[in-house]
Amino acid sequence: MGAQLRVYKRRIRAITATKKITKAMEMISASRIVKAQRKVAASMPYATELTRAVTAVATGSNTKHALTTEVEAPVRAAVLLITSDRGLAGGYSSNAIKQADRLTERLRSEGKEVDTYIVGRKGVAYFGFRERKIAGSWTGFTDRPEYADAKRVAAPLIEAIQLETAEGGVDELHIVFTEFVSMMTQNAVDSRMLPLSLDQAAEETGAKGEILPLFEFEPSAEDVLDALLPRYVESRIYNALLQAAASEHAARRRAMKSATDNAGELIKSLSRLANAARQAEITQEISEIVGGASAMADATAGSDK
């Protein structure tokens, strides 16, 4: 019985130590969510106005450009998948990966080849374990992305969209990330970045039905679109990275809170079992003492006779 009590006490100490760790991680994630939300809010005006500018240029000119022109028969698409570098965030990364797999299946059913680019160690590990080809990968910044990180990610994608498919280029550029809705809700979504849909852009910027002003482009509309292309892709990727970071922190906070609560319940259950074992041990010791005293009393009575 004493051995069983020691086992319970050892498990309680181990779970208590784990509970302290999960509680600390929960508090850290909660503090980082606020900062990530502020960054998301700060990035929105720039992304919105940039999309407005691209829409105005595309509407006010007949220039064919990779930024706005649909390819008649697209044969290759690039998919950028954003996951996390670290685990302990519930189903955050797995949900994004599943969304990317669904998108890839849909694109392939349309007869398109798919080049996959990945942000985050979890996504890289998933594809590596299954020996699936990766066109490019970046790690080490998913929880605190900077604009410089978005530029590094955007560079090969911009190059691919500008090349002909025969030279290794792509006709479409899609992005899969986790959209931050609230502290309790984060949704894995996919969106086509290029070519830009003017109707979608107008809806995103709130300019649907709005009459755009007339512009004169100097030196030309094509040159303006060439200058806007990298800025547009970088801003979209940066905003997606920020939303993904906020979603990751929210998912980790929720997962760590659940782990902390479960650890507390397990400690209560083990404490009850330990108390029962201790009471049984005490009862057994009392029984042994009473039995010994009774045996000694009987022996003494027998010797008196």
Side-chain angles (χ1 to χ4, degrees), residues 231-300:
R231 304 290 178 270
Y232 171 76
V233 175
E234 289 165 7
S235 69
R236 287 290 299 271
I237 292 176
Y238 182 53
N239 183 263
L241 287 172
L242 292 176
Q243 291 210 51
S247 299
E248 179 184 347
H249 293 313
R252 183 169 291 111
R253 185 199 68 82
R254 191 166 59 251
M256 291 301 98
K257 185 180 187 306
S258 178
T260 302
D261 293 343
N262 290 339
E265 291 297 322
L266 189 54
I267 289 170
K268 289 180 182 178
S269 177
L270 290 172
S271 297
R272 284 193 291 267
L273 292 174
N275 291 336
R278 184 165 57 250
Q279 290 170 1
E281 184 178 350
I282 293 171
T283 302
Q284 183 179 354
E285 290 176 355
I286 292 173
S287 298
E288 291 174 354
I289 293 170
V290 171
S294 178
M296 290 180 63
D298 291 343
T300 302

Side-chain angles (χ1 to χ4, degrees), residues 202-216:
E203 187 173 341
E204 289 178 357
T205 58
K208 194 169 185 178
E210 181 180 319
I211 299 176
L212 296 174
L214 296 175
F215 291 95
E216 291 185 4

Side-chain angles (χ1 to χ4, degrees), residues 20 23 32 50 63 73 77 84 86 96 108-110 168 194 228-230 253-254 267 283 286-287 296:
K20 290 179 181 179
K23 184 63 176 178
R32 289 180 176 176
L50 189 58
T63 303
S84 66
R86 298 185 295 128
R108 285 176 177 165
S109 68
E110 296 171 357
L194 294 176
L228 288 176
L229 174 61
R253 185 199 68 82
R254 191 166 59 251
I267 289 170
T283 302
I286 292 173
S287 298
M296 290 180 63

